Amino acid sequence: MTGVVSYEDRLKGFDWSLGEKELGITKDGPINIGWLCTDRICRMGLGQKTGFIWEGSEGAVRTYTFDRLRVLSNTLARFLEKHGVAAGDRVCLFMDRVPELYIGLIGILKRGAIAQPLFSAFGEDSLKVRILDAETKAIITQRKHIFKVRRMRDSTPSLTHVFVVDGGAEGLKPGEYPLDLEAEPPVEEYAVHPTTAETPSILHYTSGTTGKPKGAQHVHYSVVSQYLTTKWVLDLKPDDIYWCNADPGWVTGTSYGIIGPWVTGTTQVVGDFGFSSDRWYEFIEKHRVTVWYSAPTAIRLLMRDGDAPVKKRDLSCLRHLCSVGEPLNAEGVIWSREVFGLPFHDTFWQTETGSIVIANYPGMVIKPGSMGKPFPGITATVVDPKTFEPITVPGRVGLIALRPGWPSMMRTYWRNPTTYQSKFKNGWYLCGDRASIDKDGYFWFVGRDDDVINTGGHLVGPFEIESALIEHKSVAESAAVAKPDHVNMEVVKAFVVLKPGFEPGDDLELEIMNFIRKRLSPLAMPQEIEFVAKLPKTRSGKIVRRILRAKEFGEPIGDVSTVMED
Ligand code: PRX
């Protein structure tokens, strides 16, 4: 590949301050991601460049220059300020992928508030848990989702403001306000809040095995990592048209679906529609997408639909493909080479890491099925699960461990420092994943090291599902585990122990499913419920989901020494 600086050359003398220099910021000075993504780009003379092309589900297209993004995000920041949103307040974004979601994030950051993006597909319970935890002050939403917000408002006292981006003021209730960005007086100049490196920026909720979802708290300094990884791994260049098909409810959709492209002054396209191979290829062809960041589940779906839909289109515009979220099967890389003439480059990272930490770098030899090598500035290894010492034997499986201190590392879990601390052992941050490293330094993913379920690249914690199940009158106990799936890699399966007096059967399964459907997001919905007489537990009474999971996967059950006997 021409014009690509080699991985080895990037490693030489690497220092994160390189990113600071290119962005014109210093660790002690003001740093505001919202400003860097819009005002700075305009000051570089790119105000009239298209920053954002949005296509709605019905095919409507809206185009925004960087200057328009600057003014609209100013307008939103001023609007929040007028309504009493102060610096540090949490403002939730609860919308489909409409322009207000993208501009909203930038505006919230300019105001100095903390953005809390949540999937609009969340059910009211999933929403409520996160709003309660963050003590969110305001939520920006659409009419179509307001009913979910209304249903939880009585139990979320911190939530004083609901801003609705469509439909005007009609029918709104007290505490609900219309937010029509186009109708608001445009704010040409806005005094961006003087945030600095360590000012909190985004709160991204992620699920673990136990307890409620945790808010990974990021800061404005994260932009240094996001900027450099966008340039060097996603390889964005001034003339690129970039498409990241992740939703900003997920960290990929903010780090690389908003910040990465805009802080590098790149034109990005967004489609507010779900998966369809025909529509996706048409979208790439129509907008002349050059760089595409996708996910293995989507790639598997595209593979399933075969080469015919690809052949109908002229996709010669594509020049670089990347993937994240789950293991990218070697077949996916080989297939994309065949049909697009380009391999998907697997990248590995997490909500907590804030940016790509292990990647197949452009120009690097790809070993299909491997996640590649650590990004410059990232010290990554695999450690022994008992001693937490690095494993030096190539091919031996251990826990993925990172040396803390890169710019976009989460700073804590929101008001949960104990769980945050528990992620560190022997000076390493543990990702909760298992992998091995080969003799050439390539990382090979093996699996999660906990009970978290990865369905289509989305992490689902068993706790939320089990909590919803237990609310049903018939359920005494439950356990949610992963079950293999050829498209989503994993789906949720629930095991349920019934209370006395209830009989297992299809009718009850349907009734429980309907009951939890209102509470959970579609992603977290079990595909199947199995009624069992009891659940495997440790002597201390903890459910051992690993045993249930191993059975689903047809794997050996492993160490059961702490599991209670019959
Ligand atoms: O288990 C790993 C898996 O997704 C987890 C992180 O999920 P989340 O915080 O939702 O962020 C996802 C997008 C950044 C990881 O701990 N994961 C992510 N990328 C890969 C992966 N598993 C295998 N290969 C990957 N490339």
Side-chain angles (χ1 to χ4, degrees), residues 31-42 51-52 64-81 85 87 89 91-95 98-117 140 179 181 187-188 190-195 200-204 220 222-223 226 248 253-266 268 270:
I31 303 179
N32 184 285
I33 294 178
W35 187 88
L36 288 167
C37 285
T38 53
D39 296 59
R40 174 175 170 272
I41 305 300
C42 294
F52 189 34
Y64 301 77
T65 61
F66 275 102
D67 193 57
R68 186 97 188 106
L69 293 172
R70 182 186 69 80
V71 173
L72 289 173
S73 55
N74 282 350
T75 310
L76 193 127
R78 171 72 54 77
F79 177 92
L80 293 176
E81 195 176 335
V85 172
D89 282 344
V91 181
C92 173
L93 293 158
F94 189 59
M95 281 174 276
V98 290
E100 288 83 353
L101 172 57
Y102 296 78
I103 295 163
L105 186 112
I106 299 295
I108 293 168
L109 297 179
K110 284 186 170 180
R111 175 64 199 109
I114 304 174
Q116 181 193 22
I140 307 180
L179 164 52
L181 268 186
V187 177
E188 275 298 325
Y190 180 74
V192 171
H193 191 78
T195 50
S201 54
I202 302 182
L203 205 50
H204 260 300
H220 282 266
S222 70
V223 71
Q226 288 145 353
T254 56
S255 289
Y256 299 106
I258 301 180
I259 302 171
W262 286 350
V263 80
T264 51
T266 310
Q268 79 152 327
V270 162

Side-chain angles (χ1 to χ4, degrees), residues 104-330:
L105 186 112
I106 299 295
I108 293 168
L109 297 179
K110 284 186 170 180
R111 175 64 199 109
I114 304 174
Q116 181 193 22
L118 295 178
F119 277 113
S120 60
F122 274 155
E124 61 193 78
D125 280 8
S126 306
L127 179 64
K128 186 167 91 185
V129 158
R130 291 160 174 83
I131 297 285
L132 282 173
D133 189 69
E135 293 183 271
T136 309
K137 171 154 190 162
I139 188 165
I140 307 180
T141 191
Q142 292 167 277
R143 288 264 164 182
K144 64 194 281 201
H145 300 302
I146 201 168
F147 69 99
K148 291 191 255 186
V149 178
R150 282 181 182 161
R151 281 212 289 257
M152 52 147 225
R153 277 202 75 186
D154 285 346
S155 45
T156 50
S158 65
L159 194 66
T160 52
H161 289 69
V162 177
F163 302 124
V164 187
V165 299
D166 49 3
E170 209 187 311
L172 294 185
K173 300 193 169 174
E176 297 171 351
Y177 309 87
L179 164 52
D180 181 348
L181 268 186
E182 303 287 340
E184 284 289 309
V187 177
E188 275 298 325
E189 297 303 327
Y190 180 74
V192 171
H193 191 78
T195 50
T196 55
E198 293 304 309
T199 309
S201 54
I202 302 182
L203 205 50
H204 260 300
Y205 275 78
T206 182
S207 301
T209 308
T210 52
K212 291 178 301 190
K214 310 171 294 279
Q217 186 192 308
H218 290 284
V219 296
H220 282 266
Y221 191 61
S222 70
V223 71
V224 171
S225 295
Q226 288 145 353
Y227 172 77
L228 286 177
T229 48
T230 300
K231 272 183 70 172
W232 295 358
V233 180
L234 303 182
D235 197 33
L236 292 191
K237 302 216 164 37
D239 292 335
D240 276 317
I241 308 283
Y242 167 71
W243 182 33
C244 166
N245 57 247
D247 189 289
W250 193 39
V251 70
T252 309
T254 56
S255 289
Y256 299 106
I258 301 180
I259 302 171
W262 286 350
V263 80
T264 51
T266 310
T267 306
Q268 79 152 327
V269 286
V270 162
D272 184 15
F273 45 82
F275 178 83
S276 142
S277 45
D278 266 338
R279 178 115 196 231
W280 279 27
Y281 292 139
E282 183 195 357
F283 185 77
I284 293 171
E285 181 184 50
K286 174 171 164 191
H287 298 291
R288 309 303 298 152
V289 171
T290 57
V291 179
W292 181 18
Y293 200 13
S294 195
T297 292
I299 297 165
R300 283 192 290 272
L301 286 168
L302 294 171
M303 282 170 73
R304 181 198 65 185
D305 291 349
D307 305 358
V310 186
K311 297 216 171 88
K312 282 202 299 208
R313 306 281 169 193
D314 171 11
L315 303 182
S316 57
C317 46
L318 287 172
R319 72 164 186 84
H320 189 55
L321 314 178
C322 294
S323 161
V324 65
E326 312 146 64
L328 176 62
N329 329 52

Side-chain angles (χ1 to χ4, degrees), residues 250 252 325-327 346-351 433 445 448 459:
W250 193 39
T252 309
E326 312 146 64
D346 192 13
T347 66
F348 169 88
W349 57 293
Q350 304 182 298
T351 304
D433 292 299
F445 188 81
R448 292 274 324 166
L459 300 191

Side-chain angles (χ1 to χ4, degrees), residues 317-468:
C317 46
L318 287 172
R319 72 164 186 84
H320 189 55
L321 314 178
C322 294
S323 161
V324 65
E326 312 146 64
L328 176 62
N329 329 52
E331 293 85 330
V333 179
I334 295 162
W335 174 80
S336 85
R337 255 197 193 122
E338 272 167 29
V339 298
F340 304 122
L342 302 165
F344 267 100
H345 292 68
D346 192 13
T347 66
F348 169 88
W349 57 293
Q350 304 182 298
T351 304
E352 287 86 346
T353 69
S355 66
I356 296 165
V357 288
I358 299 174
N360 285 284
Y361 225 72
M364 190 167 102
V365 173
I366 294 182
K367 297 192 187 188
S370 157
M371 309 194 294
K373 296 187 182 184
F375 187 79
I378 300 285
T379 308
T381 189
V382 294
V383 296
D384 182 285
K386 292 205 172 75
T387 62
F388 303 109
E389 289 298 332
I391 292 173
T392 49
V393 184
R396 185 169 293 170
V397 176
L399 305 178
I400 303 182
L402 308 169
R403 200 54 98 200
W406 67 97
S408 65
M409 165 89 189
M410 68 165 167
R411 296 307 195 257
T412 188
Y413 288 122
W414 182 254
R415 294 187 185 157
N416 194 351
T418 315
T419 308
Y420 175 73
Q421 283 307 330
S422 72
K423 292 274 184 168
F424 296 88
K425 295 275 182 305
N426 195 22
W428 295 98
Y429 163 73
L430 300 182
C431 296
D433 292 299
R434 285 176 290 127
S436 66
I437 308 174
D438 70 15
K439 62 176 181 10
D440 302 321
Y442 284 70
F443 282 64
W444 296 80
F445 188 81
V446 174
R448 292 274 324 166
D449 189 49
D450 55 20
D451 292 330
V452 171
I453 303 155
N454 187 334
T455 177
H458 297 269
L459 300 191
V460 178
F463 179 78
E464 272 193 90
I465 304 160
E466 292 163 9
S467 306

